[in-house]
Amino acid sequence: MNEQATLDDVLDAYLASDQDRGSASLAEWIRRYPQYERELTDFAVSWSLMEALPPAPRAEPVDEDTLTLRGISVAQGILHQKRQQRSLPENTAIASLLTEGKARGLSIQALADLWELSAAIVRKLDRRLIYYTSIPRELVENIARTIQREMSVVVRYLQGRPRFAQGASYRAEKAPALTEQEDFFDAVRNDVEMSEDRRRRWLEMKDKN
Amino acid sequence: MRGSSAHAASLPTKQVDVELDDLQIRPLTHRNASGDAYQRTPEVSHQIKKALALTPAQMVERAKIRDYRSPDSLREECLVYLIREHHRLGQDAIVDDLTAALIGRCAKYINEKLQALGYDEVERAFRDVVGSLFELILDLDDDRGDFLQVRFWVVLQRLVIATFHKYKDDLNRAADTISLASLAGYEGDDDDDSGHTAHAEPRRETTIPIDQLVLAREGLNAIEEPYRTAFILAHHERWPIDSKDPLTPSISRYFGKTGRTIQNWLYKAEEALERWRGQQL
């Protein structure tokens, strides 16, 4: 049992288990997640009502095309809101961490010092050669602060596909292969440029988590 | 990715398969209730890779295919991934088309499940469900919608039930219920603090077998809440009226009433159904 499971996770698992809405199967789920006893019970009761009750007497049929258009208008409202947010300056997408740094008068070494990394790892982050899920949140927050962007924008950048170094050109008959992504802490451990103090600090953070 | 789509389309099939296998798709990061990271099915992963190798026009055409038996159809789980990725890339036109295709597949299901709520409430609830669905899909900073890419219809079902729950307290207004307090011989609940006195009468048998009462779905609209919910739990879901095990759900525990009160409620629900049936004849 995952004690950190959210209610939505538990309800998804309950539904996905294809069990009936009977008291015995509900009891089993309550035993597994007693912290959600009330919510599971309410959910099961609502599910039962939804399946058992007939349409309300004054319900009027609506054709599928109208329903689809209705749904599209709701989704479009949400999309519009998200697109508006995207156009705000602090939400503008990043093309490159190095470019953002340069725009603020920060060299790659200056970025490395601000983020307590090495220039090599800053380059890797810029090229998205580090698995996003391994990057400490503190570092992501630091990057966002430095380049004055919303954290979500930095997250989106770091989650992007790996890319070749800027300005690189190749002469080959077939496309060159990208270096594979690596775990952040492995990169720290194996980096030859990073100072021992900085390395120790990052690796201690990994041990704590 | 876009640049390679035409190239991939012209290669012999084996070579395309090899190239598709090399395509990386963004992994899911959310953990399920047991603590394990969600995983897409191989079929969905393969469909995503195939879709990413298409041109935008081809992708949208495939998204419109509703026949699951077609080898070109795209599952809803795949559509969710494609919407998120193209939203991330700012490719709004593709997002709009894929969104329309996805809604076209689930609008009828959502609407049908909410029909008990009544005309005005159904439309509001429908919009709430679609809103909740697309908040999950389009929130790129959060992975709580990951399960949509594993079991789309399970998550949608959860959203529908949760929305129904929000609106269900208005069910009485939607139904043509007969107030049981207006029936001759009505007695208050045993633990009703309105001053009615409980009578220790033996439960009278109904004239209609319970299984037939259960089958009379339309008649449920003739029963007032909370007696109707008690009736459904007892006869449709077979919940016990009482239970000694504190973790076993029972009707009395759900309502916070005694077992005797629930017995009375069930009797009253059965009476209401008998009266309804009498009116149909």
Side-chain angles (χ1 to χ4, degrees):
Chain A
M1 180 186 80
N2 175 14
E3 294 197 352
Q4 305 300 317
T6 66
L7 174 59
D8 287 346
D9 295 333
V10 172
L11 294 177
D12 283 341
Y14 174 49
L15 286 173
S17 69
D18 288 331
Q19 290 193 354
D20 57 47
R21 295 179 294 271
S23 176
S25 50
L26 179 58
E28 180 51 41
W29 283 87
I30 291 172
R31 276 188 194 93
R32 286 159 70 172
Y33 302 98
Q35 70 271 37
Y36 294 128
E37 177 185 354
R38 187 72 226 176
E39 291 87 349
L40 277 161
T41 307
D42 285 345
F43 185 83
V45 171
S46 292
W47 185 13
S48 300
L49 293 177
M50 192 180 81
E51 296 295 342
L53 291 174
R58 285 175 290 279
E60 290 182 20
V62 180
D63 67 86
E64 198 170 347
D65 287 344
T66 302
L67 291 172
T68 300
L69 288 172
R70 201 175 273 174
I72 289 172
S73 80
V74 174
Q76 281 296 329
I78 297 170
L79 278 165
H80 178 74
Q81 200 181 33
K82 300 244 176 231
R83 288 165 184 168
Q84 292 278 85
Q85 282 172 348
R86 197 169 60 198
S87 64
L88 295 172
E90 58 267 32
N91 287 329
T92 310
I94 303 166
S96 152
L97 294 178
L98 298 185
T99 307
E100 292 293 327
K102 198 173 170 186
R104 285 158 183 79
L106 296 168
S107 65
I108 188 170
Q109 191 55 53
L111 291 174
D113 289 338
L114 278 170
W115 300 340
E116 297 190 60
L117 300 170
S118 67
I121 294 189
V122 171
R123 273 190 214 96
K124 287 183 180 178
L125 287 169
D126 180 65
R127 291 175 57 195
R128 299 186 286 237
L129 295 178
I130 307 273
Y131 287 122
Y132 166 71
T133 50
S134 70
I135 303 173
R137 188 182 169 89
E138 177 189 314
L139 175 56
V140 179
E141 287 172 348
N142 210 355
I143 294 173
R145 247 190 322 270
T146 304
I147 63 174
Q148 295 166 320
R149 284 287 208 288
E150 285 291 327
M151 192 151 146
S152 58
V153 174
V154 176
V155 167
R156 270 202 292 281
Y157 177 82
L158 293 171
Q159 286 179 329
R161 293 176 184 281
R163 60 186 179 85
F164 294 105
Q166 283 184 321
S169 61
Y170 299 89
R171 292 179 64 182
E173 286 177 355
K174 65 176 189 174
L178 265 176
T179 309
E180 283 193 7
Q181 286 182 317
E182 64 181 315
D183 180 87
F184 172 79
F185 295 103
D186 287 343
V188 165
R189 196 176 289 114
N190 299 326
D191 186 71
V192 298
E193 293 178 15
M194 187 178 280
S195 72
E196 285 311 311
D197 278 347
R198 287 181 184 176
R199 194 194 323 275
R200 190 180 315 118
R201 177 187 164 321
W202 286 114
L203 294 180
E204 277 171 5
M205 184 185 293
K206 177 182 195 303
D207 293 337
K208 276 186 197 149
N209 289 335
Chain B
M1 176 173 79
R2 282 286 137 252
S4 68
S5 61
H7 175 64
S10 64
L11 288 174
T13 313
K14 249 196 195 156
Q15 207 161 348
V16 170
D17 285 346
V18 168
E19 289 211 0
L20 287 177
D21 284 341
D22 288 339
L23 274 179
Q24 288 191 4
I25 57 177
R26 201 177 300 274
L28 301 176
T29 53
H30 195 78
R31 295 190 175 270
N32 64 18
S34 303
D36 303 317
Y38 282 129
Q39 298 281 339
R40 298 183 189 91
T41 64
E43 182 195 0
V44 168
S45 296
H46 186 68
Q47 278 192 1
I48 290 171
K49 290 179 184 180
K50 271 174 61 175
L52 291 175
L54 299 171
T55 64
Q58 288 170 335
M59 187 187 301
V60 169
E61 278 313 298
R62 298 254 179 120
K64 291 177 183 170
I65 298 172
R66 299 249 205 131
D67 183 357
Y68 294 115
R69 293 165 300 182
S70 165
D72 292 336
S73 71
L74 299 176
R75 294 180 63 102
E76 292 76 21
E77 292 82 1
C78 173
L79 291 185
V80 169
Y81 179 90
L82 296 175
I83 290 171
R84 280 176 70 87
E85 285 305 301
H86 288 88
H87 179 57
R88 196 188 302 275
L89 295 168
Q91 293 176 337
D92 296 345
I94 303 174
V95 171
D96 290 348
D97 288 338
L98 295 176
T99 294
L102 184 62
I103 290 172
R105 296 188 189 196
C106 57
K108 189 174 165 198
Y109 165 83
I110 298 169
N111 192 62
E112 279 175 357
K113 289 295 178 185
L114 300 171
Q115 286 300 299
L117 293 175
Y119 187 68
D120 291 334
E121 286 81 7
V122 168
E123 184 174 339
R124 285 207 300 269
F126 176 90
R127 289 179 186 276
D128 279 4
V129 172
V130 175
S132 300
L133 175 64
F134 277 86
E135 286 289 353
L136 283 179
I137 292 176
L138 297 173
D139 188 353
L140 300 178
D141 299 330
D142 202 296
D143 62 2
R144 62 201 167 98
D146 272 6
F147 200 45
L148 283 163
Q149 297 181 47
V150 183
R151 296 280 300 271
F152 174 86
W153 291 97
V154 167
V155 180
L156 183 59
Q157 186 182 23
R158 168 175 53 88
L159 297 176
V160 171
I161 295 169
T163 302
F164 184 92
H165 177 73
K166 249 176 35 183
Y167 284 85
K168 78 174 175 58
D169 288 339
D170 292 333
L171 281 174
N172 258 352
R173 279 197 289 113
D176 285 329
T177 55
I178 301 167
S179 169
L180 289 164
S182 67
L183 295 176
Y186 170 77
E187 291 156 8
D189 298 338
D190 292 325
D191 41 358
D192 180 351
D193 57 6
S194 64
H196 289 265
T197 308
H199 291 269
E201 288 184 24
R203 188 175 168 200
R204 284 172 273 174
E205 291 298 320
T206 61
T207 58
I208 304 172
I210 279 295
D211 55 347
Q212 286 190 30
L213 289 176
V214 169
L215 287 173
R217 192 177 180 220
E218 295 77 22
L220 291 174
N221 276 339
I223 311 173
E224 190 179 2
E225 288 292 344
Y227 315 114
R228 182 171 62 181
T229 296
F231 180 87
I232 288 171
L233 291 177
H235 298 302
H236 288 246
E237 307 300 348
R238 307 273 185 233
W239 280 33
I241 291 175
D242 258 324
S243 172
K244 291 194 171 80
D245 176 3
L247 286 182
T248 297
S250 67
I251 305 174
S252 59
R253 185 170 297 119
Y254 175 71
F255 284 107
K257 298 288 186 187
T258 65
R260 185 194 178 107
T261 297
I262 300 301
Q263 290 276 11
N264 281 338
W265 286 11
L266 292 177
Y267 165 67
K268 288 162 185 172
E270 289 157 23
E271 268 198 334
L273 267 182
E274 284 192 43
R275 287 179 198 277
W276 169 82
R277 191 169 180 274
Q279 287 166 0
Q280 308 306 305
L281 296 174

